[in-house]
Amino acid sequence: MKPTQHPKTSALLFGVVLFQALTLQAGNVREELAGSKFRLVHEVYANNNWELFVTSADGKSSANLTNTPDVNELYPQASPDGAKICFLVDSGKGRATVRSLWVMNSDGTGRKKVTDRARQQCWAPDSQTIAFLPQEYPKFNVTDYYTKGISFHHLPSGNTREHVNTKPLHHLYNISYAPNGKWIVATVHAGMGHRHTNLLIEANGSKIINLGIDGCRPTFSPDGKHIAWGAGDHELAVVPIDIESDNPKLGKKVFQVFDKQNKIYHVDWSPDGRFLSFSRGPNGKGDITKPGTYEAACEIVGVHAKGWDIFAVKVARGGSVTIGHKPVYDWQPLTRNGYSNKESDWFLPPSK
Amino acid sequence: MTLQQFTGALGLLALGLANGCGPAQSSPAEPQLVTTASGVSMIVIPAGSFQMGSDEHEADERPRHEVRLGTFLMDQFEVTHDLFVKAQLPNPSCWQDDSRKPVERVRWREAKLYCNERSLMEELTPCYDEAKPGWPCDFNANGYRLPTEAEWEYAARAGSSRLYSFGDVAKLKANGWFADNAGKRTHVVGTRRPNAWGLHDLYGNVSEWCQDVYAPDYYKSSPAHDPLGPAEGIADTKRVMKGGSWKASASMCRASFRKGQRTGDTDACFFTDYCGFRCVRRVMAAEVESFLGKSSPEK
C-alpha cells in the first residue's frame, strides 16, 4: 500500500516537476549561446546607411563588418563553410537603383562584385557556388518577387550559368539550397501558375513540387531534415522533410514561434540546427527620409524597419514559443537598438 | 509638353457616343475617345456637375450633394496585365490566364507607381512624389494619377442619377461582372457594355482604387468644387474603393457605394484579389479645345 499524501503537497510536487520539465525542454538560450562560437551576420541601418554587422551568438558583442558610409550593403548570406559572405549592394536612387550581388571573406576582406540586377541569393552546399535570382526587368523595383529565373555563379571559375529549367521560373524569392544539393526551396508569388505558395525546385532538373504551405521565406536546416519558414506575419514554423526522396513531402509542424503583436520574419538556422534566429518588429512601411531606403512593408529588403531587432530561440521539438515583452528561458534578443536589424544569417567563422 | 506634341501623341479619335450619351448635367461637350502616346484608350470627360452620394442607402453615402468638376481624362478600361507589364512592374494578379484582364491584388502604392511609370513613358510630369513619405500627389501635374472619388462617381454615372448609369439592377448582368455572373473570377476588360460615356467595367470586374482618404462622414463637409478627400492620415489610412468587383453584390456595384480599403502598403504579400484601378489625368484648356475640334492657339 502506498503512503498517502496531502492533496496540496501533491499539487506542489506536480507543479515543481512540470516546471522542471518545461525548463529542461526549453533550455536557457542565453546561457547556451554565451559559450557558442557561432556568429550572425545581419543588416543594420546605421548612420544613414545600410551596413552589415557581425554579432556574437549571445548578442553581447557586435561589430560593423562593412563600415562603408557611402555603400548600402544588404541581405548577407554566409557560406556553409563560414569562409565567405555574399550580399547585395544598392547603388543609385529610386527606379534608377542598381541592386548588385557581391561576395567577400567572412572577415570583411576581399570584396568582389559578382553581377548586377540580382537578388535573393543563397549558397550551394559546396560553398563555391552562389545561386541568385535575376531581376525581372532592368528598372529597379523593391518588390521581393521581382525576379525571373535562377542563375548560378561559380566563384573559382567566375562562370555564371542559368538553371537548366530557368524559363518558367518566375516571381520566386528567398531561395534556400538543400544540403544534399538536390533541391532549392523558394516562395513564389503571382507566378508559375500559382497565386502564392512555396515550391521545391530540382536544382539540376525540371521537377517542381508545390509544398502546399502558406507563408513565405523557407529555409533548410543544416542537416536537411527540416524546413523553417514564416507561416504568417506572426508565426514561424518548422516541419520535417525527406530531401532524399524524389517526391519529398512535408510532415506536420514540430515547432512554432508566435508573436501576437510584432511581425516575425527572416528565420535562419544555426549551423548545429539547435537554434533559430529571426527579425522582429512593428508593422510599418519604412521611412524614405532615410537615404538608401524604400517605401514598402518593413520586412522587404531595403525598407527601413524602425524598432526591428534580431532574436534567437531554441528549437524544442514538439513545442512552441511565444515571444513576449520580457526575455525568458527559451528566447533571447541578440540586438536591442532597433536600428532596422534584419536578415540574419548564422555561421561558424573558420579557425585561424 | 506642347499642344502639338500632345495631339500628335494622342491620335485623337472621335467616338460615336451621341446615341448613348445621357443627359450630362452642365456638360459643355460630349465625351471623346483618345489614344495616348503609350497606346492607352482614354475618354475625355467633360466638365460638369452632378449629385454625388445617396440619401437612401449606406450612412457613408449621405448626404447627397452637388459636386462640380473640371475636364479630365479617364482610362476607358481598368489597367490590364498588359499595361502593367509594359511599365516593367511585377504583375501581382491571381488570374494570369489572359493578359487583357484587369490587374488585381494591387496595393495602393503600386497603383500610384504605375501612374508615375506611365507618366514617364509619355514624358509627362509624374503626379506622385516618390521621394516623400506617402508619395503625396501633385494635382497640378499633368501626369497620371488615381481618380478622386468624385471624379470616379461622376464618370460612372455618365450623366445619370440612378443607381447605375444604365438604370436598375436588372440590367447589371449585361453591364458588369459581379458575384451573380462573374463565376468567381475576373474577366477580360471591355466584355460588358460601356456606360453612356464609353467607359467599361466601372460596375464590377475589379474594385478601383481612388486617391481619397476614406472617411465615413466626409460628405457632410466636402467642398462643392473638385473635392480631393479628407486630409492625409499619418498611418496606413484606408482609401476609397469604388465600383464593386467580381465578388461583390449588386448593391456594392452601385455608383454611390463607397468602401474604405486598407492600402496593403505595409503588407509583404497583398492577397486582396479584387483591388484594381484605372488612371486619370488633368487636361489643359488648350488640350480640351483640340479634343473638341475647336481652334487652338497653335494652329
Side-chain angles (χ1 to χ4, degrees):
Chain A
M1 190 175 177
K2 291 180 181 177
T4 56
Q5 285 184 332
H6 191 279
K8 283 186 178 177
T9 309
S10 298
L12 183 63
L13 284 172
F14 176 75
V16 170
V17 170
L18 180 64
F19 175 78
Q20 287 178 333
L22 288 173
T23 305
L24 286 171
Q25 183 188 26
N28 188 329
V29 178
R30 185 196 300 260
E31 290 175 4
E32 290 193 45
L33 290 176
S36 172
K37 293 181 179 176
F38 298 150
R39 298 287 182 270
L40 294 98
V41 59
H42 57 94
E43 302 170 354
V44 182
Y45 194 82
N47 300 319
N48 290 322
N49 171 251
W50 290 106
E51 301 280 10
L52 302 183
F53 275 56
V54 170
T55 297
S56 61
D58 62 359
K60 286 187 176 173
S61 66
S62 191
N64 189 338
L65 181 67
T66 44
N67 218 354
T68 49
D70 301 324
V71 183
N72 290 303
E73 291 97 345
L74 298 147
Y75 203 79
Q77 298 283 305
S79 59
D81 65 5
K84 293 189 179 298
I85 292 169
C86 58
F87 57 102
L88 301 176
V89 170
D90 279 358
S91 309
K93 281 185 177 179
R95 56 181 49 70
T97 299
V98 175
R99 180 163 284 179
S100 50
L101 173 61
W102 289 64
V103 66
M104 64 184 171
N105 298 319
S106 57
D107 63 3
T109 62
R111 290 170 65 116
K112 178 185 168 188
K113 183 155 86 169
V114 174
T115 189
D116 286 332
R117 297 178 183 85
R119 54 181 67 190
Q120 303 278 327
Q121 77 284 0
C122 73
W123 287 92
D126 64 4
S127 291
Q128 295 188 329
T129 304
I130 303 169
F132 64 92
L133 304 179
Q135 199 167 287
E136 186 173 9
Y137 300 108
K139 190 163 47 186
F140 181 79
N141 192 302
V142 75
T143 302
D144 43 14
Y145 61 88
Y146 185 61
T147 70
K148 187 87 175 73
I150 296 179
S151 291
F152 303 94
H153 181 81
H154 184 242
L155 285 173
S157 68
N159 293 332
T160 298
R161 65 174 174 87
E162 292 182 337
H163 187 281
V164 294
N165 187 39
T166 199
K167 199 170 179 181
L169 304 179
H170 183 214
H171 279 188
L172 297 173
Y173 65 101
N174 201 101
I175 53 175
S176 170
Y177 233 115
N180 66 356
K182 192 172 176 179
W183 303 101
I184 292 170
V185 66
T187 307
V188 62
H189 187 82
M192 303 167 67
H194 299 285
R195 295 179 179 192
H196 182 98
T197 191
N198 291 279
L199 302 174
L200 269 187
I201 298 161
E202 202 172 12
N204 297 300
S206 57
K207 184 177 277 188
I208 298 171
I209 297 170
N210 183 355
L211 293 175
I213 50 173
D214 293 333
C216 59
R217 296 172 173 79
T219 181
F220 279 108
S221 62
D223 63 4
K225 293 181 178 177
H226 292 88
I227 284 177
W229 85 105
D233 284 340
H234 305 280
E235 179 192 350
L236 307 173
V238 174
V239 289
I241 187 170
D242 178 11
I243 56 172
E244 300 304 332
S245 165
D246 289 333
N247 190 24
K249 288 186 170 53
L250 299 181
K252 292 182 178 177
K253 290 177 184 176
V254 296
F255 182 66
Q256 290 163 280
V257 180
F258 297 103
D259 191 311
K260 292 176 182 173
Q261 290 189 326
N262 290 291
K263 282 185 168 181
I264 45 178
Y265 269 84
H266 314 139
V267 64
D268 190 63
W269 295 86
S270 65
D272 61 2
R274 296 176 61 230
F275 302 94
L276 296 174
S277 65
F278 56 93
S279 322
R280 173 186 189 246
N283 198 21
K285 59 180 179 182
D287 177 3
I288 51 173
T289 64
K290 307 283 188 190
T293 72
Y294 304 91
E295 192 168 278
C298 276
E299 53 270 30
I300 302 287
V301 177
V303 178
H304 187 264
K306 185 179 179 182
W308 281 57
D309 279 303
I310 307 293
F311 285 69
V313 64
K314 185 178 177 183
V315 181
R317 188 180 171 83
S320 67
V321 170
T322 299
I323 309 299
H325 293 292
K326 293 179 180 177
V328 290
Y329 292 108
D330 46 7
W331 60 277
Q332 169 75 17
L334 303 186
T335 65
R336 297 170 186 271
N337 55 27
Y339 291 168
S340 202
N341 298 280
K342 295 191 291 183
E343 299 286 3
S344 61
D345 204 54
W346 298 76
F347 67 106
L348 178 62
S351 51
K352 294 178 181 176
Chain B
M1 188 182 208
T2 65
L3 173 64
Q4 197 168 22
Q5 286 173 319
F6 184 80
T7 52
L10 286 177
L12 193 63
L13 296 170
L15 179 69
L17 291 170
N19 291 338
C21 192
Q25 299 163 29
S26 308
S27 178
E30 291 181 355
Q32 301 282 326
L33 174 66
V34 297
T35 304
T36 73
S38 64
V40 181
S41 297
M42 298 189 82
I43 303 288
V44 184
I45 307 295
S49 61
F50 75 113
Q51 291 292 319
M52 186 173 183
S54 169
D55 289 329
E56 298 159 8
H57 295 91
E58 305 296 328
D60 66 351
E61 299 171 34
R62 300 171 196 157
R64 192 164 185 252
H65 57 290
E66 181 166 297
V67 168
R68 182 164 186 80
L69 296 168
T71 303
F72 62 96
L73 286 165
M74 176 178 262
D75 287 350
Q76 186 182 21
F77 306 105
E78 289 160 338
V79 171
T80 61
H81 300 194
D82 271 339
L83 293 178
F84 216 66
V85 168
K86 189 175 180 180
Q88 297 191 8
L89 296 173
N91 181 1
S93 304
C94 270
W95 293 283
Q96 300 204 3
D97 52 317
D98 194 318
S99 62
R100 297 169 299 167
K101 285 187 167 187
V103 286
E104 16 83 21
R105 298 204 298 189
V106 180
R107 297 176 182 86
W108 192 66
R109 180 179 51 80
E110 291 168 328
K112 294 187 296 180
L113 181 59
Y114 170 82
C115 293
N116 274 2
E117 294 293 350
R118 201 162 111 191
S119 300
L120 293 170
M121 280 193 282
E122 299 186 13
E123 298 181 2
L124 300 171
T125 303
C127 289
Y128 298 106
D129 186 348
E130 298 172 22
K132 291 181 180 169
W135 297 13
C137 182
D138 178 1
F139 288 90
N140 292 317
N142 67 356
Y144 294 99
R145 59 173 169 77
L146 297 173
T148 65
E149 182 180 7
E151 288 169 339
W152 191 97
E153 187 169 329
Y154 177 57
R157 288 187 176 281
S160 168
S161 58
R162 304 183 69 174
L163 295 182
Y164 311 91
S165 67
F166 45 83
D168 60 26
V169 69
K171 297 177 182 173
L172 184 55
K173 285 185 179 176
N175 288 273
W177 295 110
F178 69 115
D180 288 2
N181 68 346
K184 297 182 178 179
R185 55 173 49 231
T186 56
H187 290 265
V188 171
V189 299
T191 50
R192 299 281 94 179
R193 289 179 189 160
N195 74 0
W197 288 354
L199 297 154
H200 287 264
D201 298 306
L202 285 156
Y203 301 97
N205 215 3
V206 288
S207 292
E208 299 179 14
W209 285 117
C210 292
Q211 175 65 33
D212 306 36
V213 168
Y214 173 76
D217 58 353
Y218 178 60
Y219 288 2
K220 292 174 183 169
S221 59
S222 63
H225 195 275
D226 280 323
L228 304 179
E232 298 284 320
I234 297 170
D236 189 16
T237 315
K238 285 183 178 177
R239 298 282 165 170
V240 174
M241 291 209 89
K242 297 284 282 185
S245 72
W246 59 271
K247 68 194 306 183
S249 66
S251 180
M252 293 171 76
C253 295
R254 288 180 295 104
S256 61
F257 182 82
R258 314 173 67 207
K259 178 177 171 59
Q261 179 75 44
R262 282 192 61 242
T263 63
D265 291 351
T266 61
D267 299 331
C269 294
F270 186 59
F271 295 114
T272 312
D273 50 10
Y274 55 80
C275 289
F277 69 106
R278 73 180 71 211
C279 303
V280 297
R281 87 171 187 84
R282 68 188 286 258
V283 282
M284 311 301 286
E287 294 171 342
V288 177
E289 293 289 311
S290 74
F291 299 148
L292 301 179
K294 296 178 182 175
S295 61
S296 89
E298 293 190 11
K299 283 182 180 175

